[in-house]
Amino acid sequence: QKEVEQNSGPLSVPEGAIASLNCTYSDRGSQSFFWYRQYSGKSPELIMFIYSNGDKEDGRFTAQLNKASQYVSLLIRDSQPSDSATYLCAVNSGGYQKVTFGTGTKLQVIP
Amino acid sequence: DVKVTQSSRYLVKRTGEKVFLECVQDMDHENMFWYRQDPGLGLRLIYFSYDVKMKEKGDIPEGYSVSREKKERFSLILESASTNQTSMYLCASSPPLTGHSPLHFGNGTRLTVT
């Protein structure tokens, strides 16, 4: 079983809709959870991190964490074509910041 | 803004060559990392370093070594390059561990081994 799992997509949503990206992880001791965005040919950039159960909002982005279900998600409201990218879920299981990445979900926002 | 600079954007090497990938960060970060990224496999950690001259193996260290002689510089070494090391290599740095410190990535080096 992979440590961090994401659906590879592509996930296609119309412009203005809500995009919902999901991630599950296997290590119950995981402490911190990150969402990175990666445009084609570019390096990943941090969008959000979350470490407490519940929701965390930042502009159009909301991260949701449910440690009991070992599930973290990212919602993008009012999706824009510029949101089209691959979204990487990353999990820190503690120690010397050993961060494990999922394989990413490709999001396509259709104008 | 944190700047992580990788010395080469594209690199083509021959099988058996010794290859050096260089990474420099300007934010005095303690932690530095080397990942490789391959389609369908995502980002996989090769090595990381939490202090000068300190290094820890990641998930796929075989065929690689690292060097960190100065805090700002972390080098990845392919002792004898092989075709299965053709990949995108990403360097990253981060502040000291809190568990919530994000990684700051360089622009990547696309290495082709022929």
Side-chain angles (χ1 to χ4, degrees):
Chain A
Q1 182 189 4
K2 288 184 181 177
E3 293 182 41
V4 180
E5 292 210 48
Q6 297 180 256
N7 188 318
S8 61
L11 173 67
S12 294
V13 300
E15 184 174 355
I18 296 175
S20 177
L21 304 160
N22 304 315
C23 173
T24 58
Y25 59 94
S26 59
D27 184 352
R28 283 197 172 273
S30 298
Q31 299 173 355
S32 305
F33 307 86
F34 304 85
W35 283 101
Y36 288 82
R37 178 177 61 200
Q38 187 175 25
Y39 291 113
S40 180
K42 302 293 186 182
S43 55
E45 55 181 339
L46 181 73
I47 300 175
M48 293 189 71
F49 71 87
I50 186 168
Y51 52 89
S52 299
N53 273 330
D55 294 1
K56 180 181 179 182
E57 188 173 316
D58 184 0
R60 296 188 295 112
F61 299 95
T62 299
Q64 299 175 318
L65 175 61
N66 183 325
K67 288 187 177 180
S69 300
Q70 296 175 247
Y71 177 95
V72 59
S73 64
L74 179 71
L75 300 179
I76 305 174
R77 290 182 299 281
D78 188 23
S79 294
Q80 301 296 310
S82 58
D83 295 326
S84 298
T86 297
Y87 289 80
L88 304 172
C89 173
V91 175
N92 175 8
S93 299
Y96 286 106
Q97 198 171 25
K98 184 179 185 300
V99 178
T100 302
F101 285 82
T103 54
T105 298
K106 186 172 184 178
L107 173 66
Q108 295 176 340
V109 180
I110 312 299
Chain B
D1 245 7
V2 176
K3 192 161 180 65
V4 180
T5 302
Q6 293 183 231
S7 54
S8 303
R9 187 77 176 99
Y10 299 95
L11 213 51
V12 179
K13 295 292 182 180
R14 294 193 181 274
T15 301
E17 277 192 80
K18 190 169 187 176
V19 181
F20 293 86
L21 302 183
E22 306 286 345
C23 176
V24 176
Q25 51 97 0
D26 67 357
M27 282 301 291
D28 203 35
H29 285 167
E30 274 72 8
N31 301 325
M32 295 189 75
F33 307 81
W34 276 106
Y35 287 87
R36 64 177 283 179
Q37 187 173 30
D38 301 287
L41 297 176
L43 279 151
R44 293 179 292 167
L45 181 64
I46 305 171
Y47 267 97
F48 65 99
S49 169
Y50 51 90
D51 202 351
V52 175
K53 296 191 186 295
M54 305 301 289
K55 60 185 179 184
E56 292 283 339
K57 292 181 179 179
D59 299 318
I60 52 164
E62 296 79 17
Y64 303 94
S65 62
V66 290
S67 172
R68 193 163 180 204
E69 295 297 319
K70 293 185 178 182
K71 191 174 185 180
E72 67 272 17
R73 187 180 296 271
F74 192 36
S75 302
L76 179 69
I77 304 156
L78 287 65
E79 298 291 342
S80 177
S82 63
T83 54
N84 62 13
Q85 292 178 310
T86 291
S87 186
M88 172 66 85
Y89 289 87
L90 288 161
C91 175
S93 71
S94 79
L97 302 165
T98 64
H100 314 314
S101 304
L103 300 179
H104 301 268
F105 286 91
N107 287 333
T109 296
R110 184 164 292 282
L111 173 67
T112 302
V113 182
T114 62

